[in-house]
Amino acid sequence: MMTRGLGWETSYQSMDDVFPFDKFEGIKIHDWDKWEDPFRLTMDAYWKFQGEKEKKLYAIIDAFQQNNGQFNISDPRYLNTLKLFLTGVSPLEYAAHRGYAMAGRSFRGVGARVACQMQSIDELRHAQTQFHTISHFNKYFNGMHDPQHMHDRVWYLSVPKSYFEDAMSAGPFEFITAISFSFEYVLTNLLFMPFMSGAAYNGDMATVTFGFSAQSDESRHMTLGLEVVKFILEQDPANVPIVQKWVDKWFWRGYRLLALVSMMMDYMLPKRVMSWSEAWEMYFEKNGGALFEDLSRYGIRMPKYHEVAAKEKSRLSHEVWATFNNYGHAANINVWAPRPDEMEWLAEKYPDTFDTLYRPRFEWLAEQERQGKRWFNNTLPMLCQTCQIPMVFTEPDDPTKICYRESTYHGMKHHFCSDGCKDIFDGEPEKYVQAWLPVHQIYQGNCFPEGTDPTAEGFNPLAAVLDYYHIEAGADNGEFNTSPDKANWERWTGQHLPSQPKAA
Ligand code: FE
Ligand code: ZN
């Protein structure tokens, strides 16, 4: 009832001219009044409620800073998950703020507009509280000084960036299905649970606090996600196949994005919460399975290729961290080979794959490091045209063979990491041929600072690219064991951290 009667019919312009975007996707809405307002909050109550949360959050951040809380974390390697979050996730909160503002403007139904408005403000708050919290760590540690600049340029950050821009440049119904339903409802636990529990396990109470503050909004967002999909499906049977196609697309795009979380869980958290494969089983296979069973009465089935994700769950994190390990010289985080006790944990969590497929690779890397020959890859990998991740994933039924797909469009060949990504491209090739692929852009000379002359003698393309990224070479990037973050940590705390320990 709170949102009824807040809008009006236009008189001297047609409604279709004022709201040009909520019909072109083919979604048919017959009665916007059937929209159940999921938030049930007046704006007045909203400001008071959020204001209270802000006060508590900033009081805790203040106390954290006064007490030098940054030195109470488990191990400075943990900081790299914060760097990943700050440059990969927080800018997406800001993108969500913009996206919901645009979606709200596009819907002619008042309930939907009010819900989008509140979520838009929520997302702005999330971006702000995250930047404010993590900025404290930026006073002490590297890699956190220029998150927006990096988000728009650094090779692997094009993965989250392109994910959100794909959603924002779709129509309003696709945007809200992609973000509110596929991401917030179906997949969000796989992002927030590991980051926030990870922060708690590793002693970072500041991040835990912004996490809780955002999570209480998240429960509203999840309700919106489910409401919106049910509303669309109930309005017209012709909407079902359109929604199914979006569910398929955004499940796969979201799952590929979560590859970054998988490596965070299995390799980057010094104190682990659970393995990626356990999280996938609990939050997708079990919870997601029940959800899609519930939605089957509308004619919606499990997202296409969910069985591929299941096949990949015992290799995803290993393939991705191995890639970061090899390209850490070009990233804004430090990387490392797992320590012997961590390899034991991995072997226990991944009994069918770790010892046979991945341990030898990490042991070889550790051995190179011990011999003073820390290895980084100096060639650039081919990227998937859709998810923009280097083509490092393997065949669903053969984890020893790179999965490689291609499509030809207007005489040009495009490459994909999976059937899921190829399908998405084939569905909207005009959209994806425009992708800004970091590797292609580097080879075309578009990722050097202005005025760079690549023909000059002694030109170092990697140094020029890092310059363009605002990555400070030798501080923000590279091997953790020789990093300034490690050296500073030891100087400031008096602790001594093991380097690559000698082989037994
Ligand atoms: Fe958010
Ligand atoms: Zn892909």
Side-chain angles (χ1 to χ4, degrees):
M1 292 304 291
M2 286 174 171
T3 62
R4 298 287 190 269
L6 288 177
W8 62 86
E9 291 281 318
T10 55
S11 53
Y12 57 89
Q13 292 285 345
S14 80
M15 284 292 273
D16 283 345
D17 285 345
V18 176
F19 297 100
F21 295 132
D22 68 358
K23 284 188 174 167
F24 87 98
E25 296 165 283
I27 293 291
K28 293 187 176 66
I29 303 297
H30 304 292
D31 184 3
W32 276 103
D33 278 341
K34 289 266 161 40
W35 174 282
E36 289 292 338
D37 166 29
F39 292 180
R40 296 187 175 86
L41 263 178
T42 61
M43 282 318 291
D44 185 53
Y46 176 83
W47 294 122
K48 282 184 186 144
F49 190 60
Q50 300 293 70
E52 278 307 309
K53 283 202 299 192
E54 296 285 86
K55 273 187 220 150
K56 286 179 191 139
L57 170 67
Y58 283 92
I60 293 174
I61 294 174
D62 225 36
F64 185 82
Q65 297 180 352
Q66 300 282 336
N67 291 307
N68 283 318
Q70 72 278 3
F71 296 133
N72 293 332
I73 57 171
S74 57
D75 173 323
R77 291 180 302 167
Y78 164 77
L79 294 162
N80 293 289
T81 69
L82 281 186
K83 299 174 194 181
L84 193 63
F85 196 88
L86 179 71
T87 54
V89 180
S90 301
L92 297 190
E93 303 274 18
Y94 190 75
H97 157 64
R98 296 177 62 207
Y100 279 96
M102 291 196 285
R105 171 62 185 85
S106 302
F107 291 129
R108 65 191 76 191
V110 179
R113 301 181 63 153
V114 171
C116 286
Q117 172 185 255
M118 281 189 200
Q119 182 154 354
S120 175
I121 305 165
D122 283 345
E123 303 296 2
L124 180 60
R125 199 178 77 83
H126 296 174
Q128 287 173 339
T129 53
Q130 291 167 21
F131 280 118
H132 287 166
T133 307
I134 301 176
S135 74
H136 175 67
F137 291 91
N138 176 48
K139 295 177 197 160
Y140 298 89
F141 304 104
N142 293 303
M144 294 181 249
H145 50 82
D146 221 344
Q148 278 297 150
H149 181 94
M150 290 181 185
H151 184 74
D152 289 337
R153 289 164 183 78
V154 174
W155 56 279
Y156 76 93
L157 294 174
S158 81
V159 175
K161 181 181 164 72
S162 73
Y163 168 89
F164 231 96
E165 289 185 347
D166 187 350
M168 283 163 84
S169 54
F173 282 110
E174 182 176 346
F175 174 81
I176 205 162
T177 306
I179 305 302
S180 293
F181 179 72
S182 296
F183 202 79
E184 304 242 46
Y185 196 80
V186 183
L187 298 174
T188 199
N189 282 329
L190 284 151
L191 175 72
F192 265 87
M193 183 285 303
F195 267 109
M196 297 316 144
S197 306
Y201 272 45
N202 289 280
D204 176 4
M205 287 307 143
T207 295
V208 171
T209 311
F210 84 60
F212 273 129
S213 179
Q215 275 303 72
S216 58
D217 297 340
E218 217 56 43
S219 54
R220 267 188 289 119
H221 300 175
M222 291 177 75
T223 321
L224 173 60
L226 194 59
E227 283 301 333
V228 76
V229 155
K230 286 185 173 169
F231 170 73
I232 302 173
L233 294 172
E234 280 168 2
Q235 283 291 310
D236 199 297
N239 293 340
V240 177
I242 303 176
V243 171
Q244 182 70 58
K245 197 173 167 216
W246 290 339
V247 167
D248 292 345
K249 167 180 168 181
W250 288 99
F251 163 77
W252 190 257
R253 288 227 61 182
Y255 165 67
R256 274 292 183 247
L257 177 61
L258 289 173
L260 289 167
V261 178
S262 77
M263 76 168 185
M264 198 264 311
M265 294 181 75
D266 287 345
Y267 285 89
M268 295 175 71
L269 286 176
K271 287 191 183 164
R272 272 101 166 135
V273 178
M274 61 167 76
S275 69
W276 165 257
S277 102
E278 289 166 331
W280 186 254
E281 282 163 14
M282 180 183 304
Y283 292 111
F284 186 76
E285 292 178 9
K286 256 174 98 184
N287 297 359
L291 164 71
F292 281 99
E293 206 167 291
D294 206 39
L295 288 175
S296 65
R297 68 194 151 104
Y298 296 103
I300 292 291
R301 48 152 178 78
M302 281 283 270
K304 207 172 168 189
Y305 301 123
H306 69 92
E307 71 287 353
V308 176
K311 285 179 187 173
E312 289 182 353
K313 71 188 170 196
S314 54
R315 46 179 127 138
L316 191 69
S317 64
H318 318 292
E319 292 173 347
V320 178
W321 183 246
T323 307
F324 269 79
N325 201 286
N326 294 354
Y327 287 102
H329 57 332
N332 63 314
I333 60 170
N334 289 135
V335 296
W336 56 88
R339 294 170 184 168
D341 59 315
E342 293 167 338
M343 295 217 218
E344 284 313 304
W345 183 89
L346 289 161
E348 190 191 305
K349 294 293 180 186
Y350 295 100
D352 300 332
T353 54
F354 186 75
D355 280 345
T356 47
L357 295 170
Y358 309 112
R359 184 194 280 271
R361 196 189 302 189
F362 286 115
E363 283 183 343
W364 183 85
L365 285 163
E367 184 50 35
Q368 295 292 301
E369 189 187 334
R370 274 191 289 270
Q371 294 175 18
K373 299 186 288 187
R374 177 61 168 90
W375 189 78
F376 286 114
N377 194 332
N378 281 316
T379 63
L380 300 183
M382 179 183 279
L383 304 181
C384 171
Q385 186 79 26
T386 302
C387 70
Q388 311 204 1
I389 299 176
M391 308 263 290
V392 299
F393 299 112
T394 44
E395 283 291 345
D397 293 310
D398 184 358
T400 65
K401 195 175 165 212
I402 295 282
C403 182
Y404 178 96
R405 304 285 181 270
E406 59 180 50
S407 291
T408 300
Y409 184 69
H410 286 176
M412 283 271 268
K413 241 180 216 176
H414 299 277
H415 308 276
F416 310 99
C417 71
S418 54
D419 292 315
C421 281
K422 177 178 154 57
D423 277 15
I424 294 169
F425 175 92
D426 290 342
E428 296 164 275
E430 285 296 345
K431 185 171 200 177
Y432 295 100
V433 293
Q434 303 172 58
W436 193 93
L437 296 174
V439 166
H440 292 203
Q441 295 300 321
I442 290 172
Y443 277 135
Q444 288 172 37
N446 296 329
C447 296
F448 305 135
E450 223 171 305
T452 303
D453 175 11
T455 62
E457 210 183 316
F459 173 69
N460 179 343
L462 174 65
V465 170
L466 292 183
D467 233 16
Y468 168 80
Y469 286 169
H470 288 189
I471 287 178
E472 240 187 275
D476 296 340
N477 61 344
E479 167 60 47
F480 173 78
N481 288 323
T482 52
S483 70
D485 272 4
K486 176 175 181 268
N488 286 334
W489 177 271
E490 292 180 334
R491 204 153 53 88
W492 291 331
T493 65
Q495 291 172 16
H496 180 73
L497 302 166
S499 291
Q500 198 44 253
K502 296 264 173 294

